[in-house]
Amino acid sequence: MPYGPGPAPIPSAWCWPAWWATGLPLALAATNPALGVTAALFALAGACTGPLFSALLAAWERYAPTAFRTQIFTLGAGLKSTTAAAGAAVAGAVSVIGTGALLFAVAACQVLATLLGATLLTTGRNHAVAGSDAAPPHAGRGAHSDSDDSAGFTASLKDRT
């Protein structure tokens, strides 16, 4: 179900602070051995992941063609779980570097992801599926049209087979 007429909102209003407020407290926790301060920093970082996860789900819902929404949600959840497990395995393998260094590495990944997101969101990339004539949902068409997205996405899949 579309969110209403008009272009998709730009996430900078609240996503940018949430991205930074997830990574920076973890970096500070890596340098602070006090349990109370570290716990508060972890709580802040954890609280800021809620809006980011909500934005992820909203993006999946907004940009996934209706006919493929279930597959996209399932694949996205599977990739999220798989990469979390892979990250835990890597963290376990390199845990000999120490807790502070490991925590700082986790924070660095979050900060680098924020910078990558900023770069991708400001470069004006094309959201249309390669090989289709479908315009992105926010490209001046007014209300989001799932039928237009589904038709373009389906056509691009048929071209690939």
Side-chain angles (χ1 to χ4, degrees):
M1 170 153 252
Y3 289 106
I10 297 173
S12 62
W14 54 271
C15 278
W16 297 116
W19 282 324
W20 286 112
T22 301
L24 295 180
L26 294 176
L28 291 173
T31 63
N32 194 324
L35 179 62
V37 173
T38 301
L41 291 168
F42 265 93
L44 175 62
C48 290
T49 61
L52 296 176
F53 185 65
S54 297
L56 174 68
L57 294 176
W60 287 351
E61 196 277 332
R62 177 179 297 274
Y63 296 111
T66 304
F68 300 101
R69 194 164 286 154
T70 302
Q71 291 89 340
I72 290 171
F73 268 78
T74 303
L75 180 62
L79 288 172
K80 189 167 175 49
S81 297
T82 302
T83 55
V90 169
V94 299
S95 63
V96 295
I97 66 173
T99 307
L102 192 58
L103 187 54
F104 189 77
V106 169
C109 288
Q110 180 65 34
V111 171
L112 288 173
T114 301
L115 295 172
L116 178 63
T119 302
L120 291 175
L121 288 172
T122 58
T123 58
R125 70 200 186 287
N126 186 356
H127 295 277
V129 175
S132 77
D133 293 331
H138 61 281
R141 291 190 309 191
H144 178 176
S145 172
D146 283 333
S147 61
D148 289 346
D149 289 347
S150 296
F153 191 74
T154 304
S156 71
L157 288 177
K158 288 179 184 175
D159 291 341
R160 294 179 189 174
T161 56

